Amino acid sequence: CCILSCNIVANADNDKPISVNALPAKAQTLIRNHFSNQKVALATIESGVISKSYDVVLKNGTKLEFDKKGNLTEIDCKRGAVPTQLIPKAIKIYLQNNYPDQVVKKMEIKKNEYEVELANGLDLTFNKHFKLIEVDGLYSPHIIAVTLTEHLIY
């Protein structure tokens, strides 16, 4: 007689379910202010060697990611649009002027850039000064010209 034991580690990234109350206050406030009509399906904390982050999935499929201080780092709205109040004003104005019929489905906030995905699938990347630097893998001609000029000067 042989007993087979199989342990599958579902939390390979050290994700641990937590209550919404265990999220940083800043994250709780964002959820309360912008998603009060949605219930949280799952909240987790991911503890890495040097950092920790929080993931929240709402009942409608929206996924939110926060850094250790509760700052929003990513939002992915599967069945809706990113609340316009969460989009930086300069990016919002750019989108209104250039893509008036599109809504933002996903936004990633990194240290030096913002990545925005529109409903039509177009990905736009803005630098920390909210200037467009990339469209679906194509760099802005202005950025290329500046980079080439900088290299030619030196």
Side-chain angles (χ1 to χ4, degrees), residues 5-114:
S5 175
C6 181
N7 292 328
I8 299 173
V9 180
N11 297 332
D13 293 331
N14 297 321
D15 284 355
K16 183 175 105 179
I18 59 171
S19 73
V20 174
N21 295 336
L23 292 168
K26 203 170 187 178
Q28 290 182 48
T29 300
L30 184 141
I31 293 167
R32 191 172 39 256
N33 289 345
H34 300 286
F35 298 98
S36 59
N37 61 339
Q38 287 296 319
K39 292 194 186 272
V40 173
L42 177 67
T44 59
I45 181 172
E46 182 178 339
S47 298
V49 176
I50 58 173
S51 68
K52 71 174 156 181
S53 61
Y54 300 89
D55 294 337
V56 175
V57 179
L58 303 179
K59 294 262 185 185
N60 71 351
T62 295
K63 293 181 182 177
L64 303 156
E65 292 182 20
F66 301 93
D67 66 15
K68 64 183 177 185
K69 295 179 181 176
N71 297 309
L72 183 67
T73 57
E74 184 173 335
I75 179 169
D76 188 354
C77 297
K78 303 286 186 200
R79 296 186 192 107
V82 172
T84 57
Q85 303 91 333
L86 297 178
I87 302 169
K89 184 177 180 181
I91 293 175
K92 200 178 340 183
I93 290 169
Y94 177 86
L95 295 174
Q96 288 168 348
N97 290 336
N98 294 279
Y99 301 95
D101 299 331
Q102 293 297 313
V103 295
V104 175
K105 300 295 282 178
K106 182 177 181 179
M107 182 172 68
E108 286 184 60
I109 303 159
K110 299 180 180 179
K111 184 178 178 182
N112 292 315
E113 65 184 32
Y114 293 78

Side-chain angles (χ1 to χ4, degrees), residues 110-146:
K110 299 180 180 179
K111 184 178 178 182
N112 292 315
E113 65 184 32
Y114 293 78
E115 293 180 15
V116 174
E117 181 183 319
L118 302 180
N120 65 3
L122 194 63
D123 292 318
L124 306 171
T125 304
F126 297 85
N127 66 16
K128 64 182 177 182
H129 303 292
F130 310 112
K131 301 294 182 200
L132 182 68
I133 57 171
E134 189 176 344
V135 177
D136 255 357
L138 300 174
Y139 291 96
S140 166
H142 171 72
I143 298 301
I144 293 171
V146 169

